[in-house]
Amino acid sequence: MSDYSLFDERKTAQAAALLLFKAGGRLPLLKLMKLIYLSERLSLQRYGDSITGDQFVSMQHGPVLSKMLDLANGFQRSNPGGWETWISDRSDHAVALRDPSMIRSPELDLLALSDTDIECLTDTWNKFGSWEQFKLRDYTHTDACPEWEDPMGSSRPIPYSRILKAVGHSPEGVEAINRRLHEQRYINEAFR
């Protein structure tokens, strides 16, 4: 049950856009990936829900969101209103807002994000936004993110259940959240 079909490209792009907005429009991709991952972790801890619905993987530089990384690297085609609407092409290991004037206020202009999504992204920015990208990378390789496993030069899936356990959910809570996410996956597939 670790492969959820809950990915929402529009929410992913707007989550990245919110953090880029807070950063003044541009961030190293590594730092953006870590900030999004830590926001996801916080959302799973507080609400038992993912912001993006992406799949998490352990990679050499720590945990990342698989489909978001593919979009940022140009390995996955963007849908209308998705990644390429909000985020410019990767350049010099960084990404930027495609058009900074699209965001006057995150609450008014990033409508795919819920209030709790914005709260988790903002709280993560407030805690880690001033950190340098490699300090963030190193942080995700510590006991702070015990769900990360060294992939030995490859990548390894990180099941939602492992993150939920790491952020403090009880076994019963993990099971209930997994069941809800599994049901949501089937609902999403039924409406495709």
Side-chain angles (χ1 to χ4, degrees), residues 8-191:
D8 186 325
E9 182 185 341
R10 188 168 169 242
K11 284 186 77 174
T12 302
Q14 290 188 21
L18 173 75
L19 292 170
L20 289 165
F21 173 79
K22 291 186 174 295
R26 181 178 171 86
L27 280 171
L29 180 58
L30 178 63
K31 182 172 180 173
L32 178 64
M33 291 300 298
K34 298 305 155 208
L35 291 169
I36 293 278
Y37 181 78
L38 292 169
S39 297
E40 285 280 13
R41 236 178 152 265
L42 184 59
S43 182
L44 287 166
Q45 178 182 27
R46 288 182 181 172
Y47 304 107
D49 209 0
S50 170
I51 296 169
T52 67
D54 206 339
Q55 298 169 348
F56 307 111
V57 293
S58 291
M59 294 187 75
Q60 177 183 353
H61 292 291
V64 299
L65 284 69
S66 178
K67 292 182 181 186
M68 180 183 160
L69 184 60
D70 285 347
L71 286 164
N73 285 329
F75 299 152
Q76 183 170 325
R77 188 178 180 104
S78 179
N79 294 312
W83 188 261
E84 290 179 8
T85 299
W86 294 94
I87 313 299
S88 69
D89 290 339
R90 180 178 170 174
S91 172
D92 196 27
H93 304 289
V95 291
L97 287 170
R98 181 164 300 280
D99 179 0
S101 69
M102 289 176 63
I103 305 174
R104 297 160 293 162
S105 162
E107 294 79 12
L108 296 175
D109 299 318
L110 301 174
L111 300 177
L113 300 175
S114 70
D115 290 344
T116 59
D117 296 336
I118 291 172
E119 170 198 305
C120 290
L121 290 157
T122 299
D123 287 353
T124 299
W125 176 260
N126 290 342
K127 183 172 182 178
F128 297 107
S130 64
W131 288 29
E132 186 266 336
Q133 64 180 332
F134 295 108
K135 182 178 178 183
L136 269 174
R137 178 202 60 194
D138 293 348
Y139 176 79
T140 63
H141 288 185
T142 66
D143 290 341
C145 296
E147 65 274 13
W148 178 81
E149 297 175 340
D150 187 346
M152 305 299 218
S154 185
S155 68
R156 289 185 180 173
I158 303 173
Y160 275 65
S161 57
R162 191 179 321 148
I163 300 169
L164 291 165
K165 181 181 175 188
V167 298
H169 288 279
S170 68
E172 298 80 17
V174 171
E175 184 179 326
I177 293 166
N178 269 333
R179 190 171 36 255
R180 182 180 51 76
L181 292 172
H182 190 70
E183 290 166 359
Q184 186 63 49
R185 174 181 145 205
Y186 285 110
I187 291 168
N188 289 0
E189 288 174 1
F191 288 98

